[in-house]
Amino acid sequence: MISADRIFPLWLKYRDALETPVRTFEFPKFGRMFEDRTYQMGVLNLSPDSTYRETVCHTFEAALYRGRRMTLEGAAMVDIGAESTGDTADIVSIERQIDRMRPVVRALAEENILVSVETYHPEVGVALLEAGAGVINLTGRVDDSAFYESIAKHEAGIILCYTPGENARSADYLPPAEDIFDHQLTFFGQRIDLATNAGVERLWVDPGFGFALHLPDGPDRIRYQTDSILQSFRLRELGWPVTVQLTGAVYLFRDEVRVAQTSAATIAVMSKANLVRSHEVSRVQPVLNLQDFA
């Protein structure tokens, strides 16, 4: 149960992490500053088999409209993906991912909208940095220092997502909930060194609990993901801001699943998440705006 007697002992146990300051940084080209508070990145899917149908855009015009609209609704960043991470989704080639995303990335960047691109292929990331993307949402393990040097050269940022396998599509099981943050701290320590040694100065860490999750939609999955959001503040000890995916459970919310992310956003703000990845920007932003009134 999410209650004071559940949360307060957790905060006390990991108080040092809770109180650790995280980096503040700016994207001068886009006029965006990210401080130690919660911002929103809105999802724009160019993958037709993505499960969240409301965020799928089938045409360039629809994608441009959605990117503009989410920005007006309060998204600090628009996150574009061309391949779903679902188990049954098609694998999309590197060339096809670039072809799908490049015109949308270029058009939104020309309107001064900060765009992140979700991919686990460094070739996709580099091509879209050249098209104007400001952030790479990296959903896999890349060891090539040249990739991170390219991010630094473009004065861009990176979201490092935890994946138990090589990437978000790998069929690898997550560690048990009680052990996962120890695994993640080791993983992120290595990944952060790779990025910062190459000159990257804008970086988030993402526990990635939406990837390779073998639990079906139901009580166990809800419990696992909720606990992951509640404990995500523990990653602050790395000194970098934390990103979380806002979850939505059809099992729990049924026909009202589109409001599920509002509930998850409330928990994320309590847990001091710095960036929430959302499919429901207009519903979530008022929750984030409460930071200005509390």
Side-chain angles (χ1 to χ4, degrees), residues 91-161:
I91 298 292
V92 181
S93 71
I94 290 171
E95 294 76 15
R96 184 64 176 141
Q97 287 193 39
I98 294 171
D99 288 345
R100 281 181 178 176
M101 288 194 278
R102 181 156 46 199
V104 181
V105 169
R106 181 177 288 124
L108 291 175
E110 287 175 353
E111 296 187 15
N112 208 37
I113 293 174
L114 178 60
V115 174
S116 67
V117 292
E118 180 192 320
T119 187
Y120 49 85
H121 295 295
E123 301 92 334
V124 174
V126 171
L128 295 175
L129 285 171
E130 293 170 355
V135 177
I136 303 301
N137 186 4
L138 184 64
T139 57
R141 305 183 185 213
V142 176
D143 296 328
D144 184 1
S145 60
F147 169 66
Y148 301 99
E149 289 167 3
S150 182
I151 293 171
K153 182 185 75 174
H154 285 87
E155 297 183 328
I158 187 168
I159 300 170
L160 295 171
C161 294

Side-chain angles (χ1 to χ4, degrees), residues 43-46 54-70 104 108:
V43 177
L44 193 165
N45 275 318
L46 299 178
E54 291 78 10
T55 59
V56 175
C57 297
H58 295 283
T59 66
F60 170 78
E61 291 76 16
L64 195 58
Y65 172 78
R66 178 165 177 80
R68 291 167 172 166
R69 177 173 176 173
M70 288 191 296
V104 181
L108 291 175

Side-chain angles (χ1 to χ4, degrees), residues 149-211:
E149 289 167 3
S150 182
I151 293 171
K153 182 185 75 174
H154 285 87
E155 297 183 328
I158 187 168
I159 300 170
L160 295 171
C161 294
Y162 171 74
T163 57
E166 287 304 305
N167 59 63
R169 299 296 299 271
S170 301
D172 293 87
Y173 279 37
L174 290 168
E178 60 272 18
D179 298 332
I180 192 167
F181 281 96
D182 291 333
H183 285 262
Q184 289 176 349
L185 288 169
T186 300
F187 171 90
F188 285 127
Q190 297 168 347
R191 302 287 116 187
I192 289 169
D193 283 347
L194 271 172
T196 56
N197 288 342
V200 175
E201 298 178 345
R202 300 162 183 85
L203 186 153
W204 290 264
V205 295
D206 181 342
F209 51 79
F211 303 140

Side-chain angles (χ1 to χ4, degrees), residues 12-292:
L12 286 178
K13 183 175 181 179
Y14 300 106
R15 184 171 180 173
D16 288 347
L18 187 68
E19 296 179 350
T20 298
V22 297
R23 306 285 184 95
T24 291
F25 44 76
E26 185 179 7
F27 291 82
K29 288 188 290 187
F30 299 95
R32 284 286 182 186
M33 173 74 76
F34 290 88
E35 300 177 305
D36 191 1
R37 57 177 289 142
T38 310
Y39 300 88
Q40 184 172 191
M41 62 191 301
V43 177
L44 193 165
N45 275 318
L46 299 178
S47 46
D49 48 6
S50 290
T51 55
Y52 211 102
R53 308 306 302 165
E54 291 78 10
T55 59
V56 175
C57 297
H58 295 283
T59 66
F60 170 78
E61 291 76 16
L64 195 58
Y65 172 78
R66 178 165 177 80
R68 291 167 172 166
R69 177 173 176 173
M70 288 191 296
T71 302
L72 291 172
E73 290 170 342
M77 186 189 310
V78 173
D79 187 50
I80 302 179
E83 179 185 290
S84 171
T85 57
D87 290 342
T88 61
D90 290 339
I91 298 292
V92 181
S93 71
I94 290 171
E95 294 76 15
R96 184 64 176 141
Q97 287 193 39
I98 294 171
D99 288 345
R100 281 181 178 176
M101 288 194 278
R102 181 156 46 199
V104 181
V105 169
R106 181 177 288 124
L108 291 175
E110 287 175 353
E111 296 187 15
N112 208 37
I113 293 174
L114 178 60
V115 174
S116 67
V117 292
E118 180 192 320
T119 187
Y120 49 85
H121 295 295
E123 301 92 334
V124 174
V126 171
L128 295 175
L129 285 171
E130 293 170 355
V135 177
I136 303 301
N137 186 4
L138 184 64
T139 57
R141 305 183 185 213
V142 176
D143 296 328
D144 184 1
S145 60
F147 169 66
Y148 301 99
E149 289 167 3
S150 182
I151 293 171
K153 182 185 75 174
H154 285 87
E155 297 183 328
I158 187 168
I159 300 170
L160 295 171
C161 294
Y162 171 74
T163 57
E166 287 304 305
N167 59 63
R169 299 296 299 271
S170 301
D172 293 87
Y173 279 37
L174 290 168
E178 60 272 18
D179 298 332
I180 192 167
F181 281 96
D182 291 333
H183 285 262
Q184 289 176 349
L185 288 169
T186 300
F187 171 90
F188 285 127
Q190 297 168 347
R191 302 287 116 187
I192 289 169
D193 283 347
L194 271 172
T196 56
N197 288 342
V200 175
E201 298 178 345
R202 300 162 183 85
L203 186 153
W204 290 264
V205 295
D206 181 342
F209 51 79
F211 303 140
L213 192 58
H214 55 284
L215 299 172
D217 187 20
D220 290 339
R221 182 180 179 125
I222 294 167
R223 190 174 297 112
Y224 190 101
Q225 292 186 328
T226 302
D227 192 59
S228 294
I229 296 177
L230 279 174
Q231 296 202 50
S232 60
F233 72 88
R234 292 173 58 185
L235 297 176
R236 290 173 62 92
E237 73 175 71
L238 295 162
W240 293 93
V242 179
T243 304
V244 299
Q245 166 76 51
L246 297 185
T247 56
V250 175
Y251 174 87
L252 186 61
F253 287 86
R254 301 184 185 276
D255 291 344
E256 297 301 321
V257 69
R258 293 195 66 184
V259 305
Q261 298 206 329
T262 305
S263 171
T266 303
I267 304 171
V269 172
M270 289 171 56
S271 303
K272 299 182 74 172
N274 300 102
L275 187 64
V276 295
R277 185 175 185 271
S278 165
H279 293 270
E280 299 288 350
V281 172
S282 63
R283 290 175 167 87
V284 166
Q285 193 58 40
V287 175
L288 306 190
N289 291 344
L290 283 172
Q291 297 171 98
D292 297 321

